[in-house]
Amino acid sequence: MVLMLIASVLMASVIVVPLLLSGARRLVLRTGRPVWLRQVVVRMTTGGGGIGAGAAVADELAAALNPNKRVEIEQRRTDQLVRHDSEAGAPPHATDVDLAAGRAVIRRR
């Protein structure tokens, strides 16, 4: 009984703390106040933005409760890894952009 209580408090802290920190980070970045904290957050955050830990934790929590969300997360990861080049045999796109000639062709399917 006590172990279950400790485990549930630990799990809650693993989920709740990153969500709270992510929310505080967004608030500091949006308002810009306090200035010193905004500078610290921007310096510590890669690129000054990106997906927060809270969003990733929320996605994982949703995936634990909904199997369809797990499929969506895995598909998103696969799409990020797969390269789609027309030269590599990828399906043709509806647009053809020639940067050297300075023109773009849009074809109707």
Side-chain angles (χ1 to χ4, degrees), residues 8-97:
S8 62
V9 168
L10 182 63
M11 289 298 289
S13 66
V14 166
I15 293 171
V16 171
V17 169
L19 287 173
L20 290 175
L21 290 176
S22 176
R25 177 185 158 273
R26 280 192 211 127
L27 184 66
V28 167
L29 288 176
R30 280 191 186 152
T31 62
R33 291 199 170 85
V35 176
W36 66 270
L37 187 57
R38 183 183 189 284
Q39 291 171 348
V40 169
V41 168
V42 169
R43 198 173 333 127
M44 292 182 71
T45 305
T46 306
I51 186 168
V57 171
D59 277 350
E60 290 300 324
L61 179 62
L65 300 174
N66 183 1
N68 292 331
K69 186 68 174 180
R70 169 65 52 207
V71 172
E72 179 185 334
I73 291 171
E74 292 301 324
Q75 184 63 39
R76 211 178 308 148
R77 287 181 187 151
T78 303
D79 288 343
Q80 289 174 350
L81 295 176
V82 174
R83 202 170 151 184
H84 298 286
D85 290 337
S86 59
E87 297 86 25
H93 299 287
T95 62
D96 184 26
V97 179

